[in-house]
């Protein structure tokens, strides 16, 4: 069982930056692929980024590629999402998710077993 707690959301002007954190409970964090998803009002939850258990491989949605960076610190049981050059369309609740896996990157909600409660990111124009 893994419990995830996100933090770092807030209100920022367009062009600004935020760094989201997701702290995981348990001693097996290094065996989990971690993902970030987001859900804007009136829209479905969508994939943002993911990172393999080792941190070697990452991937991003096209809409955030070049602006967002995912990373993890397995010693601290934490995954991060550095968000730069934020746009109003990045406004959403951001969720981190975990999947017990050694081998890949996953892009769909149903592929992740554990979810955090979400943190609100609001980008003003």
């Amino acid at each position: 069982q893994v419990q995830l707690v996100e933090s770092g959301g807030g209100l920022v002007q367009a062009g600004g930056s935020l760094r989201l954190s997701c702290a995981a409970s348990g001693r097996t964090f290094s065996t989990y692929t971690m993902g970030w998803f987001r859900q804007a009002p009136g829209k479905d939850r969508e994939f943002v980024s993911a990172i393999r258990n080792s941190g070697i491989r990452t991937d991003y949605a096209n809409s955030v590629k070049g602006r967002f960076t995912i990373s993890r610190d397995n010693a601290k049981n934490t995954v991060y999402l550095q968000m730069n050059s934020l746009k109003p369309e990045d406004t959403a609740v951001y969720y981190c998710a975990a999947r017990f896996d050694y081998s890949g990157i996953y892009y769909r909600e149903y592929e992740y077993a554990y979810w955090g409660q979400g943190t609100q990111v609001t980008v003003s124009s």
Side-chain angles (χ1 to χ4, degrees):
Q1 192 77 2
V2 177
Q3 292 185 324
L4 305 172
V5 179
E6 301 98 335
S7 61
L11 173 64
V12 64
Q13 288 189 331
S17 298
L18 283 174
R19 187 195 197 200
L20 304 184
S21 299
C22 174
S25 65
R27 296 180 291 177
T28 58
F29 180 73
S30 62
T31 64
Y32 286 83
T33 289
M34 300 298 296
W36 285 98
F37 289 74
R38 68 185 181 186
Q39 187 168 21
K43 295 188 177 181
D44 293 334
R45 188 149 44 180
E46 64 175 2
F47 171 81
V48 174
S49 182
I51 186 167
R52 270 187 61 177
N53 66 310
S54 62
I56 291 176
R57 184 182 167 198
T58 62
D59 206 358
Y60 301 89
N62 288 335
S63 58
V64 307
K65 204 167 287 185
R67 299 187 298 121
F68 290 11
T69 302
I70 191 171
S71 61
R72 66 191 295 161
D73 185 336
N74 285 346
K76 295 183 178 180
N77 283 14
T78 302
V79 62
Y80 305 97
L81 186 68
Q82 178 67 44
M83 305 186 296
N84 299 329
S85 302
L86 283 161
K87 304 175 181 180
E89 51 263 43
D90 294 318
T91 295
V93 178
Y94 283 72
Y95 299 88
C96 72
R99 173 191 170 100
F100 176 69
D101 193 271
Y102 287 95
S103 62
I105 295 286
Y106 298 88
Y107 301 88
R108 297 173 178 81
E109 288 184 69
Y110 68 83
E111 294 175 313
Y112 291 83
Y114 305 103
W115 291 83
Q117 82 289 349
T119 185
Q120 176 70 47
V121 171
T122 303
V123 184
S124 64
S125 58

